[in-house]
Amino acid sequence: MQASDRFNINSQLEHLQAKYVGTGHADLNRFEWAVNIQRDSYASYVGHYPVLAYFALAENESIGRERYNFMQIVGDGGQTKSGCGDGFGHNFLVFDGTVA
Amino acid sequence: MFLYSLTLQQATGVVCAINGSFSGGKSQEIVVARGKSLDLLRPDDAGKLQTLLSVDAFASIRSLAHFRLTGANKDYIVVGSDSGRIVILEYNKEKNTFEKIHQETFGKSGCRRIVPGQYLAIDPKGRAVMIGACEKQKLVYVLNRDTSARLTISSPLEANKSHTVTYSIAGVDCGFDNPIFAAIELDYSEADQDSTGQAANEAQKHLTFYELDLGLNHVSRKWSEQVDNAANMLVTVPGGGDGPSGVLVCAENFVIYKNQGHPDVRAVIPRRPDLPATRGVLIVSAAMHKQKSMFFFLLQTEYGDIFKVTLDHDNDRVSELRIKYFDTIPVTSALCVLKSGFLFAASEFGNHALYQFQAIGDDPDVESSSSTLMETDEGFQPVFFQPRGLKNLVRIDQVDSLMPIMDMKVTNLFEEETPQIFTLCGQGPRSSLRILRPGLAISEMAVSQLPGVPSAVWTVKKNVNDEFDAYIVVSFANATLVLSIGETVEEVSDSGFLDTTPSLAVSLIGDDSLMQVHPSGIRHIREDGRINEWRTPGKRTIVKVGSNRLQVVIALSGGELIYFEVDMTGQLMEVDKHEMSGDVACLDIAPVPEGRQRSRFLAVGSYDNTIRILSLDPDDCMQILSLQSVSSPPESLLFLEVQASIGGEDGADHPASLFLNSGLQSGVLFRTVVDMVTGQLSDARSRFLGLRAPKLFSVMVRGRRAMLCLSSRPWLGYIHQGQFLLTPLSYETLEYAASFSSDQCAEGVVSVAGDALRVFTIERLGETFNETAIPLRYTPRKFVLQPKRKLLVIIESDQGAFSAEEREAARKECFEAAGMGENGKVEQMENGGDDEDKDDPLSDEQYGYPKTESDKWASCIRVLDPKTTETTCLLELQDNEAAFSICTVNFHDKEYGTLLAVGTAKSLQFWPKRSFSAGYIHIYRFLKDGRSLELLHKTPVDGIPLALCQFQGRLLAGIGPVLRLYDLGKKRLLRKCENKLFPNTITTIHTYRDRIYVGDIQESFHYCKYRRDENQLYIFADDSVPRWLTAAYHIDFDTMAGADKFGNIYFVRLPQDVSDEIEEDPTGGKIKWEQGRLNGAPNKVDEIVQFHVGDVVTCLQKAALIPGGGECIIYGTVMGSLGALLAFTSRDDVDFFAHLEMHMRQEHPPLCGRDHMAFRSAYFPVKDVIDGDLCEQFPTLPLDLQRKIADELDRTPAEILKKLEEVRNKIV
C-alpha cells in the first residue's frame, strides 16, 4: 500500500468496517440494514438486564427464556425465528401488552 | 429546576451471583450484582442472610466470575460490565470494602454488540479469564503472581472471530495443561448474504475450544464441532483427576456432554405432563458442586424444576449422563451451592431464598439417562415427571425482593404519621401488593399486661460478667415491680428492691451490686444481700438521676446535684455537691471509658434552655466545661460513645468519638460532638422526630451501643456500614425502654406502653423500608385508589395462563389421577395460592402456573381492603380477556356516582404480529360501599384501550393511536369526540383544567386541548425527542415528568411564552395547529431535566414521604428499587452539591470503571440533576481524601456530612 492510500477515504472506511461491525457502506441494501439493526437492538436488550426483565414480564416468560429467544434472533438477524414474523416484532413490543 | 437524586431502596432483584470465599479462610460468601450495585452476603450462624457490604458501582453489571490463584486461600471477583473494562476486585475484610486490584480497558463503554462484558469464563485453576461479547470479540487475560505474591494481569490476547455470535462461554477444566475455554458460536456470514432466509435456516451452532498456549502466549482455536442449534448454556465439568473434563451443553430439551475426541452423551430433560407439546424446556441457571469424591450439577429449567445431573465416568470416558428430578423452587437467575450445605437461590422475580440441603437427591425419583434415550421417528422420546413438594431442600431464610415494581402509589391511607408506599410487585403466582413504610421492621417477642400503668422499665444484670439480664424492674406511680428472667418471666419479692415506692433508676453498680434510686433516697443492694440506704436531706426529693457503672449523680428538687462514686470496697461514697441555678431537667453521665476509673463528663439539662457539661474529675470537680443553649428545654440526655474503628464488617474507619444527644421538648433531637479532652461541644445537628419530646435510651444492636429515641414513634440511631443512621421503627408509641438480653433473645428491647410490657427485637438493620405483603393472583398491571373508602382496585393479567376454572379442573383431575383426596386443596386454589405456608403439595407460588398457548389470558379485577388485607371482590375476566388500564370516573349525570372503567383486550398476541380479536371498555358500578363491583355495560372498541382518564365529567380513552372522549350511555359508552393524529399508541393520559397531556409509547408527550364549544381535541405542543414512555406524571400546568424504556427520567416543560400565548389566544392555538409543522405540533416542549437511572422506571409520583418534608418525585423500577428526586430550594445548595459531585467524580471513580458522568448520561446528557448516591459515598472515602475535598469546598468534612444528612432527612 502506498503512503497516500492510507489517507484515502475508501481505505479508511474499510478499516472502520473491519473494526466496527455494522458500519454501513454506500451499497447497503434494505435487508442488510435491517438485519444489522436487529442485531444491535437485541444485543442491547440482552445486555441490559432490566430491559430483558421488562420484556419477560410482558410475555410472561422467564428471563432466561427471553434471553435465549433474543440471542437466537441476534444469531439469525431475525430471519428465521418462527415467532418473529416481519422481523421487527420485538422492536415494537411494549410492556403493557401491545405492539405498535 | 435542579434536582437531587437519591436511591431510597437499592435494587432488590439479582442479575447474577457467585459464591466463594472472598474474605479468605473457610468462610463462604455470596457476591450478587443487582444491576448497578454489588453486594456481599453471608449466611450467619442462624442461617439468616446478612448483607455485609453494598456498593453502588454506577455501571450496569452484566456478569460476575470468581477465581483463586493456585495455593491461595481467597477468591477474587471479576466483573464484566458496560464500562468497556475488565475489573478485578478483592474484598478487604479489615476495611469492609471491595478493592480494585486491576482495571484494564479494552473497548468502548456501553452495552454494545461487539464490546466484551456480557460473558465471563474462568480457567478452573485460576490461570486465565476470558471475557466475551455477544458477537465477534473474546479476550483472554492471563492471571499470575509477581515476586511479592500480588496478582498480575497480562495484556489481552484476542480470540476474535468476525461474523460470529457467541451464546455462552465456559472454562474447561484440564488440570494444569494449557487453559482451554469453550464457546457456543454461530457463524452468520453466509446467512447475511442470503435475504431469502435459506442460509439462516441452515446456519449451525458450533462448540469451539480455544486453547491458551501459556508458553507462546497465544490463543488458538483448537477444536470446533457442531452442536445442537438450541444450545444456550455451557457448564464446566471437573477434570484433571477430579472428573472427565469437558463441558455440559444445555440446549432446549437436552443436556449433552461434549469433549474433544469424545462422542456426545445426550439425555433428554424430563418434562411436566401439563406442558404443551410446542414448548421446549430450557435450562436457565446452573450450579456445580464438587467434593473430594464426587461432583454433581444442579440445573434449573425455565419452569423452576431443578434437576440433578451426574456423570458415570471411567477416567475421562463418560459412559452415562443421568438427569434426575431434584426439587422445584421459583425460577432463579443464579444458583449458588455453598460448601456449608446451603443453596442460595436468587429469584428472577420476587423474594430470594436460602435453602438448606436435607439430601442430595440420592433417593429414587424420575430420571432420564443417556442410556435409556429413545429415538423415534418423531424425535426423541420424552420423559415425564410430576412436580412434588420439596424433598431435598428446606427453606431457611428469605430475602425480600420488590422486583419488579409494576405500579406504585404513595398515600397515607392508614392515617399514620408518615404516608405508606403501596407497590404492585412480582410476576404470575408470586405477585403481591406490598405496603412499604419508612423504617425498620421489628419482631415482637412478647406482650404482657401489667397490673397498672407503668412509668418506666429497666433491666439489670447481677454481675458485670453475666451474659444475660437477671431482672426486669418496672416502676409504677407508687410501686415497683420486680420480674426475674429465667425460663419464664415471673414476679419475685426477694430481690432486695424496695417495692413500695416508685423508682427513678435501677442499675448495676460496681461489679456485682444493684442500685435502686427512688424519690427519697438511694438503695444499694450488695451481692451478699446487705442493703445500704442513703436518705435525702430534709424533705427534698430526688428528681433526676444519671449513672454509669461507677458513678452516680442525683439532682434534688431545687437544683442541687450530689455526686457519688463507687470506691475500692464497692461502697457508694458521696464525693461532691453542686448547686445549680434552677431545677434540673435531665442528667446523664458518659459511660466509663475502657480501663479508666471514671468518666469525665456529666451533662445537665436545665429548664432555661441550656445544656451544661460538668467535669467529674477530682481536680476540677463540678466545674462547668462548656455550655450549649438549645431552642427548647431538654427532656432527656444521652451520651453515645462511638468506639474507634478501623473498618471491618461494621464500618468505615473513624476515630473514637463521643456524642451528646438531647431530646428537646419541641420534639427535636439535638446531637453534638463532645471533645474527649476539653468537653467542648461542636458540630451540632438537629432533627425533628415527632410531636413528643424524645426520650433517649441506650440499647445494644449487633453488639454495639445504639440509641433508642422514643417520641411519638420510636427511632433507632445506630452505625451501619460506617454511617450513623437515625431510622424510625415501625412500631407503636412507647413510653420507656431498656435493652434486654436473655437466653431466648440475645439482643432485644423491653418497653412499656399503656399498661403492657413489650419485648421486641429489631430486624434487618440498614433497610430504609419495611414491608407488608398481600399476595395477588396474576401479574399486577395497575391500580387505583378509592381514597374515601380506603380501598384499592387492582387489575392483574397473565399471558399464556389458564383461567382459574380451567386450572381448578386440571388440578382436580391431577389429584384424582394421583389418588389423593382433594379436601382443602381446591379451596387453596381459590385463594390463588394466597397462603404463604406451603401445606399445599402444588402451591402455585412455588411451581408457577401451567403454561399454555400465547393467545390465552387469565386476568382479574380485585377490590382490596389494605387494612384488613382482605379481598372484598374478585372478578375473573372470561374468554381470554385481559385488563390493561383502569381509572375511576364520575360522569356528568350523577346517577351512579363514582364508576370504575377498565380497558381490556381479547386474545391479544404479540407474535408473529400484534393481533387481538377485540378491545373493550368495561364500566363497573361500586356496590356495598365500594367493596363490590357490578358490571354496568361493556363497550367494544376498535383497539386496545391502554389509557383511561376522567376529563370534565367524561371519560378519555387512548385506544391505539386514537384519543377519544366518551360519555356514559344506558347500554354503552357514547363517542363524543376524537383525535386520530397520535403517532403510535397512547399509553398515558393526564389532565389538568382544559389541558390533556398524552403520552405516546414511542413519541413522548403531546399536550392537547379540548375546546368544548367546538367539541374538538387538538394537539398544540409535543416533544422533539422520541421517548419510549414507560411512566408519566403531571407536575404542573406546563410540566410533565416521564421515564423511558432505556432507564432515563426526564422532565419537559412548555416554554412560558408559548404557554401564555396559548392561554391568551381565543382559538387556543388552534389555527397554528391546523397549519402544523413537519407532521408534528406547532410548538415544542423543552427538556428541563434529564437523568439516567440505569433501570426501567415503571412508575412515578410526586409525594412527601415525611411530614413537613419536601415534596419529591418518587419512582419505582423493574429491578425493585425506589428512588426520589428532590428539588433544591436554594442556589447555594445547588452550587455546593454540584461541586461535591464534581470532586467525588474526580477523587472516587466508580468501582467498575464506568465513568460516572458517562453513566448518568448514557442516552442523553444529564441535565440539572445531582447524583446523591455518589455524594453519599463521601463518608466511605479515606479521611485525608475527605479533608482534601472539604478544603476545596471551603468546609470541614463534618459540615459536608451534616449537609448530606440534612438533604437525606428532607426526603425520608
Side-chain angles (χ1 to χ4, degrees):
Chain A
M1 190 193 279
Q2 285 179 357
S4 61
D5 278 357
R6 243 187 296 155
F7 305 103
N8 184 326
I9 183 78
N10 285 325
S11 68
Q12 281 181 24
L13 253 181
E14 268 169 33
H15 172 73
L16 277 178
Q17 273 150 359
K19 189 169 178 194
Y20 299 111
V21 175
T23 310
H25 53 87
D27 299 325
L28 193 76
N29 64 31
R30 186 188 156 84
F31 169 76
E32 284 167 346
W33 176 83
V35 164
N36 189 46
I37 296 281
Q38 288 287 82
R39 289 219 171 86
D40 274 345
S41 306
Y42 286 94
S44 164
Y45 300 156
V46 170
H48 292 98
Y49 192 81
V51 179
L52 201 60
Y54 190 73
F55 283 119
L57 280 168
E59 300 198 348
N60 195 22
E61 291 285 357
S62 78
I63 296 174
R65 164 63 76 170
E66 210 66 10
R67 182 187 289 124
Y68 169 78
N69 285 348
F70 286 6
M71 278 311 292
Q72 292 295 87
I73 299 170
V74 175
D76 60 26
Q79 298 174 59
T80 56
K81 173 82 170 84
S82 54
C84 213
D86 57 4
F88 284 95
H90 264 109
N91 262 348
F92 302 117
L93 182 127
V94 288
F95 175 57
D96 291 287
T98 185
V99 184
Chain B
M1 179 159 50
F2 283 86
L3 300 175
Y4 184 78
S5 152
L6 191 65
T7 304
L8 302 179
Q9 163 84 58
Q10 277 291 356
T12 45
V14 170
V15 175
C16 44
I18 50 170
N19 65 299
S21 176
F22 301 105
S23 58
K26 283 209 167 6
S27 66
Q28 285 278 308
E29 285 110 7
I30 303 161
V31 172
V32 297
R34 302 181 186 272
K36 59 191 169 98
S37 68
L38 205 59
D39 291 8
L40 186 78
L41 314 177
R42 181 192 290 159
D44 65 9
D45 299 335
K48 295 259 177 222
L49 270 178
Q50 300 290 352
T51 304
L52 297 186
L53 173 65
S54 176
V55 184
D56 204 329
F58 304 106
S60 153
I61 300 172
R62 297 148 80 190
S63 50
L64 286 176
H66 64 108
F67 69 90
R68 177 181 292 211
L69 293 171
T70 327
N73 63 354
K74 185 170 184 178
D75 287 320
Y76 292 94
I77 306 157
V78 193
V79 186
S81 65
D82 63 346
S83 61
R85 289 167 165 161
I86 186 169
V87 171
I88 297 182
L89 303 175
E90 181 183 11
Y91 174 63
N92 184 326
K93 197 162 109 187
E94 282 71 45
K95 288 190 181 159
N96 193 34
T97 50
F98 288 123
E99 278 176 3
K100 210 188 285 179
I101 306 286
H102 288 290
Q103 169 175 306
E104 295 295 317
T105 310
F106 49 67
K108 289 189 177 191
S109 60
C111 289
R112 289 163 207 261
R113 196 166 132 193
I114 59 157
V115 178
Q118 182 69 35
Y119 306 114
L120 272 176
I122 290 285
D123 169 57
K125 291 283 180 273
R127 295 169 296 168
V129 53
M130 177 183 257
I131 183 163
C134 288
E135 189 177 323
K136 185 177 165 185
Q137 291 206 36
K138 280 186 238 40
L139 300 173
V140 178
Y141 289 88
V142 182
L143 305 166
N144 217 327
R145 259 189 284 227
D146 65 6
T147 46
S148 48
R150 280 177 310 211
L151 176 71
T152 61
I153 187 165
S154 71
S155 44
L157 305 169
E158 289 187 356
N160 297 348
K161 187 163 184 287
S162 50
H163 304 290
T164 302
V165 175
T166 308
Y167 294 85
S168 178
I169 60 176
V172 179
D173 190 351
C174 42
F176 286 101
D177 294 344
N178 277 335
I180 293 177
F181 294 97
I184 304 174
E185 295 181 336
L186 176 91
D187 188 325
Y188 66 74
S189 51
E190 271 171 35
D192 271 14
Q193 305 302 314
D194 179 7
S195 58
T196 60
Q198 176 85 26
N201 266 327
E202 287 164 6
Q204 180 66 46
K205 282 186 189 170
H206 282 78
L207 178 71
T208 309
F209 277 18
Y210 289 90
E211 183 179 17
L212 165 67
D213 193 320
L214 286 169
L216 296 172
N217 209 21
H218 174 73
V219 181
S220 58
R221 283 168 77 88
K222 194 185 179 201
W223 176 67
S224 188
E225 198 179 70
Q226 284 197 357
V227 72
D228 194 311
N229 252 348
N232 70 315
M233 193 157 69
L234 291 174
V235 185
T236 306
V237 176
D242 298 332
S245 180
V247 286
L248 286 184
V249 181
C250 305
E252 205 172 12
N253 297 326
F254 297 103
V255 177
I256 308 152
Y257 171 80
K258 272 180 103 72
N259 197 3
Q260 189 177 4
H262 193 287
D264 288 3
V265 183
R266 176 189 286 258
V268 65
I269 304 171
R271 300 167 67 88
R272 291 187 183 191
D274 57 7
L275 205 60
T278 49
R279 286 197 66 110
V281 182
L282 196 71
I283 299 294
V284 294
S285 61
M288 192 254 287
H289 180 69
K290 191 167 83 173
Q291 284 175 346
K292 279 212 179 76
S293 55
M294 52 84 104
F295 63 88
F296 64 85
F297 306 90
L298 293 181
L299 306 182
Q300 190 179 34
T301 68
E302 57 183 311
Y303 311 109
D305 306 314
I306 297 183
F307 294 96
K308 178 185 167 184
V309 175
T310 49
L311 296 170
D312 287 358
H313 66 99
D314 180 21
N315 289 328
D316 54 355
R317 303 312 287 177
V318 173
S319 51
E320 196 175 352
L321 187 156
R322 299 165 192 272
I323 306 181
K324 191 196 253 182
Y325 176 55
F326 190 73
D327 262 341
T328 300
I329 62 171
V331 188
T332 61
S333 56
L335 284 173
C336 296
V337 181
L338 274 62
K339 288 217 166 63
S340 39
F342 294 114
L343 176 76
F344 173 66
S347 298
E348 281 188 347
F349 298 108
N351 295 350
H352 314 299
L354 186 70
Y355 296 88
Q356 191 159 31
F357 284 98
Q358 294 244 307
I360 50 167
D362 289 334
D363 297 343
D365 217 314
V366 176
E367 186 178 82
S368 139
S369 157
S370 57
S371 61
T372 58
L373 187 70
M374 295 270 288
E375 193 165 5
T376 62
D377 292 343
E378 293 103 55
F380 291 95
Q381 189 83 46
V383 175
F384 293 102
F385 75 100
Q386 184 68 45
R388 50 155 169 77
L390 293 182
K391 221 160 99 179
N392 298 304
L393 298 172
V394 57
R395 198 178 74 194
I396 55 170
D397 192 23
Q398 247 198 129
V399 183
D400 290 333
S401 167
L402 298 174
M403 178 174 181
I405 298 177
M406 307 288 282
D407 200 2
M408 172 197 74
K409 299 249 176 340
V410 184
T411 176
N412 197 350
L413 219 52
F414 298 152
E415 285 162 356
E416 289 170 4
E417 199 160 309
T418 54
Q420 302 86 48
I421 306 177
F422 293 84
T423 53
L424 293 182
C425 302
Q427 187 212 22
R430 300 186 83 210
S431 311
S432 57
L433 169 78
R434 301 192 189 212
I435 306 167
L436 307 180
R437 294 178 172 91
L440 293 171
I442 63 115
S443 72
E444 200 167 64
M445 313 279 287
V447 180
S448 55
Q449 297 296 314
L450 292 171
V453 177
S455 56
V457 63
W458 300 270
T459 52
V460 276
K461 290 176 183 170
K462 275 187 173 160
N463 188 298
V464 72
N465 296 321
D466 281 357
E467 194 179 345
F468 300 126
D469 290 320
Y471 297 116
I472 297 175
V473 183
V474 185
S475 170
F476 296 90
N478 53 6
T480 297
L481 177 73
V482 183
L483 304 166
S484 126
I485 306 168
E487 292 274 294
T488 56
V489 174
E490 51 200 25
E491 189 177 346
V492 287
S493 51
D494 59 349
S495 59
F497 288 113
L498 195 61
D499 55 3
T500 52
T501 164
S503 299
L504 291 170
V506 172
S507 66
L508 176 78
I509 216 102
D511 284 339
D512 50 10
S513 53
L514 303 172
M515 177 189 73
Q516 178 189 21
V517 182
H518 49 87
S520 53
I522 302 176
R523 191 177 173 90
H524 186 194
I525 306 155
R526 302 296 293 263
E527 190 241 347
D528 50 15
R530 280 182 294 146
I531 290 170
N532 298 335
E533 279 268 6
W534 178 88
R535 296 246 156 231
T536 51
K539 287 211 161 24
R540 300 174 83 181
T541 55
I542 302 176
V543 286
K544 298 287 168 195
V545 190
S547 71
N548 59 28
R549 210 165 58 73
L550 297 172
Q551 296 160 290
V552 183
V553 173
I554 54 167
L556 300 181
S557 54
E560 189 181 8
L561 294 178
I562 306 179
Y563 171 44
F564 299 87
E565 264 185 29
V566 178
D567 70 3
M568 303 299 265
T569 60
Q571 287 281 355
L572 202 57
M573 300 300 286
E574 189 177 325
V575 176
D576 207 346
K577 282 186 184 178
H578 182 75
E579 196 73 38
M580 299 291 285
S581 52
D583 264 342
V584 170
C586 45
L587 297 173
D588 193 46
I589 305 183
V592 182
E594 196 91 4
R596 296 279 186 85
Q597 271 293 311
R598 59 177 70 79
S599 159
R600 189 163 136 71
F601 303 120
L602 164 72
V604 181
S606 315
Y607 289 104
D608 58 356
N609 294 2
T610 55
I611 299 168
R612 291 177 176 82
I613 301 284
L614 274 64
S615 168
L616 295 177
D617 259 6
D619 311 340
D620 53 352
C621 200
M622 293 295 167
Q623 295 282 313
I624 295 175
L625 295 175
S626 61
L627 188 139
Q628 170 82 46
S629 59
V630 286
S631 55
S632 74
E635 170 82 15
S636 175
L637 286 170
L638 182 76
F639 278 106
L640 194 66
E641 193 182 12
V642 176
Q643 266 145 25
S645 158
I646 47 146
E649 270 162 29
D650 42 51
D653 61 335
H654 52 81
S657 45
L658 187 66
F659 292 94
L660 175 66
N661 297 283
S662 47
L664 308 185
Q665 275 183 8
S666 55
V668 168
L669 178 76
F670 186 82
R671 180 161 161 255
T672 56
V673 177
V674 184
D675 189 304
M676 302 272 258
V677 179
T678 62
Q680 288 300 313
L681 300 174
S682 61
D683 189 22
R685 299 179 196 185
S686 56
R687 180 162 186 192
F688 177 74
L689 295 190
L691 298 170
R692 292 169 45 170
K695 286 187 208 149
L696 310 178
F697 303 93
S698 158
V699 292
M700 295 301 278
V701 168
R702 278 204 206 140
R704 295 156 65 88
R705 270 194 189 283
M707 172 176 64
L708 194 65
C709 317
L710 306 182
S711 179
S712 46
R713 57 180 167 153
W715 294 69
L716 186 77
Y718 63 104
I719 293 200
H720 180 75
Q721 293 185 1
Q723 268 180 300
F724 181 82
L725 299 178
L726 189 62
T727 333
L729 301 180
S730 287
Y731 204 40
E732 54 195 274
T733 309
L734 302 176
E735 285 298 328
Y736 209 95
S739 71
F740 175 79
S741 172
S742 80
D743 225 358
Q744 289 89 23
C745 159
E747 263 179 13
V749 177
V750 58
S751 63
V752 290
D755 62 350
L757 188 74
R758 293 163 189 274
V759 180
F760 62 89
T761 58
I762 297 158
E763 296 198 327
R764 299 204 185 272
L765 294 172
E767 289 192 355
T768 328
F769 296 102
N770 71 81
E771 61 178 57
T772 320
I774 303 169
L776 303 174
R777 192 179 277 189
Y778 307 116
T779 309
R781 303 279 163 164
K782 281 175 185 162
F783 73 120
V784 288
L785 291 172
Q786 285 181 272
K788 274 186 205 151
R789 293 155 173 160
K790 303 202 185 310
L791 294 172
L792 309 178
V793 189
I794 305 168
I795 49 172
E796 304 161 33
S797 353
D798 264 348
Q799 191 184 17
F802 288 108
S803 66
E805 286 115 68
E806 287 168 319
R807 286 202 311 273
E808 202 170 320
R811 176 171 296 216
K812 249 184 205 162
E813 210 169 89
C814 161
F815 281 128
E816 270 159 26
M820 285 170 68
E822 53 182 80
N823 42 336
K825 306 300 189 300
V826 177
E827 197 181 312
Q828 182 79 26
M829 171 85 199
E830 204 24 46
N831 297 333
D834 280 10
D835 219 341
E836 262 288 318
D837 306 321
K838 287 166 190 68
D839 300 337
D840 184 2
L842 280 174
S843 95
D844 291 322
E845 263 185 58
Q846 193 79 359
Y847 301 99
Y849 291 137
K851 298 268 180 196
T852 174
E853 293 81 31
S854 61
D855 65 338
K856 299 271 269 178
W857 285 81
S859 179
C860 66
I861 306 169
R862 178 193 297 263
V863 184
L864 188 104
D865 183 346
K867 200 147 208 175
T868 59
T869 75
E870 179 198 355
T871 299
T872 58
C873 173
L874 195 145
L875 296 177
E876 184 103 12
L877 298 181
Q878 303 298 321
D879 298 336
N880 296 326
E881 250 187 88
F884 289 105
S885 55
I886 186 167
C887 84
T888 52
V889 54
N890 286 295
F891 282 101
H892 264 312
D893 53 356
K894 302 247 167 21
E895 194 188 331
Y896 296 110
T898 303
L899 297 174
L900 183 76
V902 177
T904 67
K906 190 171 171 178
S907 303
L908 175 66
Q909 249 183 311
F910 302 124
W911 281 8
K913 262 191 153 168
R914 179 197 55 173
S915 65
F916 61 96
S917 57
Y920 297 99
I921 298 174
H922 298 225
I923 300 289
Y924 292 94
R925 182 159 63 141
F926 287 108
L927 297 176
K928 294 188 210 154
D929 205 22
R931 304 178 82 81
S932 177
L933 294 173
E934 184 193 50
L935 183 68
L936 267 190
H937 51 63
K938 184 167 153 181
T939 311
V941 290
D942 50 354
I944 307 165
L946 274 184
L948 298 171
C949 186
Q950 176 183 338
F951 179 66
Q952 297 184 353
R954 290 170 172 183
L955 179 70
L956 262 178
I959 299 161
V962 184
L963 181 69
R964 201 173 282 154
L965 196 57
Y966 283 104
D967 211 338
L968 185 71
K970 288 279 176 220
K971 290 268 164 67
R972 50 170 292 154
L973 291 170
L974 310 169
R975 286 186 198 198
K976 290 296 171 194
C977 177
E978 68 176 14
N979 183 330
K980 293 183 173 175
L981 292 173
F982 291 89
N984 298 293
T985 302
I986 295 170
T987 53
T988 66
I989 303 175
H990 291 82
T991 60
Y992 188 72
R993 306 221 300 249
D994 64 342
R995 278 193 188 172
I996 303 162
Y997 310 85
V998 175
D1000 186 87
I1001 207 156
Q1002 279 180 56
E1003 296 282 347
S1004 193
F1005 293 113
H1006 298 257
Y1007 286 28
C1008 311
K1009 234 174 155 61
Y1010 174 65
R1011 287 188 68 86
R1012 184 172 279 270
D1013 43 352
E1014 289 167 47
N1015 189 29
Q1016 220 173 14
L1017 279 164
Y1018 60 92
I1019 309 166
F1020 65 86
D1022 63 8
D1023 196 354
S1024 52
V1025 185
R1027 296 278 196 168
W1028 298 62
L1029 265 195
T1030 55
Y1033 196 77
H1034 175 248
I1035 304 286
D1036 64 33
F1037 196 47
D1038 292 326
T1039 315
M1040 287 294 288
D1044 72 21
K1045 201 167 89 177
F1046 310 105
N1048 304 303
I1049 286 187
Y1050 68 106
F1051 284 28
V1052 291
R1053 178 174 284 171
L1054 192 66
Q1056 192 59 48
D1057 52 332
V1058 179
S1059 180
D1060 292 345
E1061 196 182 307
I1062 283 155
E1063 291 313 303
E1064 282 156 18
D1065 187 350
T1067 67
K1070 194 181 133 205
I1071 295 178
K1072 253 184 149 182
W1073 169 61
E1074 280 164 350
Q1075 292 160 355
R1077 183 195 285 172
L1078 301 174
N1079 299 323
N1083 305 303
K1084 297 290 170 193
V1085 290
D1086 292 340
E1087 182 186 280
I1088 55 166
V1089 164
Q1090 156 64 40
F1091 187 67
H1092 182 63
V1093 175
D1095 196 348
V1096 181
V1097 173
T1098 51
C1099 38
L1100 287 167
Q1101 200 192 340
K1102 188 167 78 175
L1105 286 183
I1106 47 166
E1111 284 228 308
C1112 39
I1113 301 289
I1114 314 284
Y1115 61 84
T1117 71
V1118 164
M1119 292 294 289
S1121 80
L1122 287 172
L1125 296 162
L1126 177 77
F1128 281 111
T1129 45
S1130 85
R1131 188 78 219 178
D1132 288 350
D1133 281 354
V1134 176
D1135 283 347
F1136 169 77
F1137 281 105
H1139 282 102
L1140 178 61
E1141 187 188 31
M1142 183 188 79
H1143 287 297
M1144 288 297 293
R1145 275 176 184 155
Q1146 279 168 0
E1147 304 292 343
H1148 185 61
L1151 191 64
C1152 292
R1154 181 87 153 115
D1155 182 62
H1156 176 265
M1157 174 94 98
F1159 175 69
R1160 291 301 183 193
S1161 312
Y1163 289 82
F1164 301 93
V1166 59
K1167 188 172 185 326
D1168 296 353
V1169 181
I1170 284 150
D1171 186 0
D1173 296 340
L1174 181 70
C1175 295
E1176 287 210 336
Q1177 291 189 350
F1178 180 77
T1180 65
L1181 297 183
L1183 287 177
D1184 51 335
L1185 210 52
Q1186 287 189 18
R1187 225 166 288 130
K1188 187 179 159 203
I1189 294 178
D1191 285 347
E1192 300 267 358
L1193 294 169
D1194 273 343
R1195 296 183 191 242
T1196 64
E1199 281 171 336
I1200 294 180
L1201 293 177
K1202 186 176 169 184
K1203 264 303 214 206
L1204 288 169
E1205 205 172 289
E1206 261 172 22
V1207 69
R1208 179 174 260 273
N1209 292 348
K1210 271 188 210 163
I1211 298 173
V1212 70

